[in-house]
Amino acid sequence: MTGFLQAVAYGLLQGGLLALVAVGFSLVWGVMNVVNLSHGAFVVLGAYVGLLVNQRLGLDPFLGMFVAAVALFALGYVVQRFVINLVVNGPIFITLLLTFGLELLLTQGMNIAFTANYQGIQTTYAGTSFAVAGVQIPVGRLLAFVLSVVVTVALVAVMNRTRVGMSIMATGMDRGAARLMGIRARHVYALTFGIAAGLAGMAGTMIGMVGTFNPASAGGFTLLSFVIAVLGGLGNMYGALAGGMLIGLVQALGGYFLSGTWVNALAFLVLILVLMFRPSGLVGKAFYSARLEV
Amino acid sequence: MRQVLEVHNLSARYGRVEVLWEVDLFVGSKEIVSLVGPNGAGKTSLLRALSGMASSSADVMSFRGKDLRGLSIEQIVDVGIAHVPEGRRLFPGLTVRDNLRLGGWRTHNQDVSRVVELFPKLGQRINQVCGTMSGGEQQMVAIGRGLMGEPDLIMIDELSMGLAPVVVEEIIDVLPDIAASGTSVLLVEQDVDAALTTAERAYVLETGRVVMSGQAGELLADPRIQQAYLGIG
Ligand SMILES: Nc1ncnc2c1ncn2[C@@H]1O[C@H](COP(=O)(O)OP(=O)(O)OP(=O)(O)O)[C@@H](O)[C@H]1O
Ligand SMILES: [Mg+2]
């Protein structure tokens, strides 16, 4: 019984972190209909930025994640503004191809810069844990979980309450109409992509703190982001949170009951099951459901 | 009368298909001008060309002295032209208030009171999600959203589309107030009677060309108009 509860606790904590990994991917897909295959590479790059500022400047990951967020935001903004914007109106196949190429470029670049060795960000506290009713709660994972929930809630608030958020939502719903309001669609797209990359960078630093990573981890994060985004409903940020928790739980319980190789297949099995009964995802439709182009 | 919008020899094409030829048009300050014509005449295309949504070429296309040629949609909005597009293009999942606020996004105008004054019905429905409103109410929101940016010209495409005549009248009656307060109106309208009764001047567009233009009253009395559009004679 304790083993089961332990798996549940671990799964929920991991799920929160996965939600932070996926929320930007979902946002980009929902707002501009781009499936960003380089998202996982942004996550890993964020982990390396967190690692570098930790090793060189001694920054704690909870400070380093802001450095990673800013760096990845800048990278994301530039990539969207000057590369993806060129083809964003094209068929989704073209953007898939482009972001796939970007992912290869980034992972290969990281291989050269950081080697393919597994690394982790060391802290004094992340590995420690405390017990609640016999269940061990790792401190690092708990902190990362809390951060993920806070960031997701904050993101929703930014989207619904601020001027920038309104412009992103409007552009996602109907780009042509948004432009008629004077909203700079290209800038908004770049901002959206930048925000998504920044969040990926944050998530990456957290992942580096609670575990290990290498450039080849990128593909796995993209895949999980895909599953979680579809589960939660495209562009739906709370949906990403719910989807992340579900996948975290499924993976942890799968690991508890089944042998290792089943775990990844389980995520997709859950995806198929959820979509059979709720085609628009766990939390229902995102506000971008009726998309119109100019 | 001071001209705000001035267009000479405008033509536009979709790919290789030309849809507008040698269009000359102007709109004066505080004026209401109607653009009428049969389906497919190019009325929507002309408005889209003017707001930068479709590319076009022209000898002159200027607004209050500023050259509009080559400007993006966003830049043309900045110059002070609002376009209420065909089909309204509201943000259906958002409330009336949020739609209106988005209309004032560029100018940081969050004050919906003027729009509510013009369309009192919207006052009671300010928190209603637009997708659930009647067509007439949606058209009011669309026009209100266009006015939120305090434009010098508002272009309205198919004001009456899908609306009952009483609702059309209710909305059209507001246009003179809008014009008097400094926003000129360029109205595309299938209902030629309503369009010519409200406007001071009008243009008749047929298969991409301006075939008639002049004072609305004179056009209304013209036998050719009466025969082709009003079913008289
Ligand atoms: N996106 C497009 N691609 C190709 N041709 C188009 C496109 N949009 C419009 N056309 C053509 O341009 C011509 C003018 O169309 P437009 O929509 O401007 O007419 P309209 O006067 O607004 O008609 P309606 O009264 O039906 O709205 C038509 O022949 C139409 O088929
Ligand atoms: Mg039309």
Side-chain angles (χ1 to χ4, degrees), chain B residues 43-45 86 157-158 188:
Chain B
K43 306 179 297 292
T44 297
S45 303
E86 201 170 38
D157 200 346
E158 302 285 10
V188 164

Side-chain angles (χ1 to χ4, degrees), chain B residues 36 172 189-199 220 225 229-230:
Chain B
V36 298
I172 271 193
E189 192 40 70
Q190 295 271 5
D191 182 343
V192 174
D193 194 11
L196 295 184
T197 313
T198 317
L220 203 52
I225 297 280
Y229 296 104
L230 302 174

Side-chain angles (χ1 to χ4, degrees), chain A residues 160 163-164 166-167 169-171 173-186 188 287 290 292-294, chain B residues 48 51 53 72-75 77-78 81 83 85 89-94 98-99 101-106 108 145:
Chain A
N160 293 335
R163 192 176 150 74
V164 169
M166 284 293 273
S167 72
M169 283 211 319
T171 310
M173 285 185 263
D174 183 341
R175 187 180 61 218
R179 295 183 73 189
L180 287 177
M181 310 292 106
I183 294 170
R184 264 66 188 161
R186 294 185 160 269
V188 166
F287 37 71
L292 280 163
E293 310 289 341
V294 173
Chain B
R48 287 170 61 88
S51 67
M53 293 178 92
S72 68
I73 300 175
E74 296 93 329
Q75 287 168 325
V77 175
D78 285 352
I81 300 180
H83 182 180
R89 303 278 287 263
L90 292 177
F91 302 106
L94 299 185
D98 283 345
N99 266 279
R101 280 182 175 166
L102 277 164
W105 193 87
R106 178 186 68 88
H108 294 254
R145 188 179 66 173

Side-chain angles (χ1 to χ4, degrees), chain B residues 116-127:
Chain B
V116 172
E117 230 169 80
L118 286 172
F119 301 110
K121 269 190 183 165
L122 296 184
Q124 303 128 38
R125 300 185 167 274
I126 201 82
N127 291 315

Side-chain angles (χ1 to χ4, degrees), chain A residues 25-290:
Chain A
F25 180 88
S26 179
L27 185 69
V28 163
W29 194 350
V31 171
M32 45 205 194
N33 204 22
V34 167
V35 177
N36 176 22
L37 294 182
S38 62
H39 190 76
F42 287 158
V43 173
V44 176
L45 193 57
Y48 279 114
V49 173
L51 179 70
L52 276 184
V53 296
N54 177 257
Q55 289 177 340
R56 302 278 160 83
L57 309 173
L59 277 191
D60 184 89
F62 281 93
L63 292 174
M65 73 182 182
F66 291 111
V67 180
V70 170
L72 269 290
F73 172 86
L75 175 69
Y77 187 96
V78 169
V79 163
Q80 174 68 35
R81 184 78 197 229
F82 299 106
V83 184
I84 302 179
N85 264 345
L86 300 176
V87 298
V88 80
N89 299 335
I92 196 161
F93 177 67
I94 302 288
T95 52
L96 275 178
L97 204 65
L98 189 66
T99 57
F100 181 63
L102 188 62
E103 124 106 30
L104 289 181
L105 211 65
L106 284 174
T107 45
Q108 200 48 39
M110 288 188 286
N111 266 329
I112 294 167
F114 308 114
T115 78
N117 295 334
Y118 276 96
Q119 307 202 52
I121 304 170
Q122 306 303 327
T123 60
T124 50
Y125 51 85
T128 62
S129 61
F130 58 92
V132 178
V135 174
Q136 292 294 319
I137 309 287
V139 172
R141 285 189 178 274
L142 181 64
L143 290 173
F145 172 86
V146 171
L147 176 88
S148 300
V149 176
V150 168
V151 167
T152 307
V153 173
L155 185 64
V156 173
V158 165
M159 286 299 154
N160 293 335
R161 305 251 166 86
T162 68
R163 192 176 150 74
V164 169
M166 284 293 273
S167 72
I168 292 177
M169 283 211 319
T171 310
M173 285 185 263
D174 183 341
R175 187 180 61 218
R179 295 183 73 189
L180 287 177
M181 310 292 106
I183 294 170
R184 264 66 188 161
R186 294 185 160 269
H187 171 65
V188 166
Y189 275 8
L191 264 183
T192 308
F193 204 80
I195 290 171
L199 294 172
M202 263 191 174
T205 305
M206 291 296 105
I207 281 171
M209 178 188 74
V210 302
T212 59
F213 60 93
N214 74 351
S217 314
F221 290 129
T222 303
L223 212 59
L224 281 176
S225 299
F226 185 94
V227 173
I228 291 167
V230 175
L231 268 181
L234 297 184
N236 191 323
M237 291 156 276
Y238 284 139
L241 200 54
M245 302 279 202
L246 180 63
I247 290 301
L249 262 184
V250 165
Q251 291 201 328
L253 291 178
Y256 179 65
F257 287 114
L258 301 167
S259 70
T261 47
W262 273 96
V263 170
N264 281 323
L266 268 184
F268 277 92
L269 187 65
V270 168
L271 177 67
I272 291 164
L273 283 177
V274 169
L275 291 185
M276 274 168 69
F277 296 104
R278 288 189 67 96
S280 56
L282 287 176
V283 189
K285 277 212 176 82
F287 37 71
Y288 315 107
S289 43

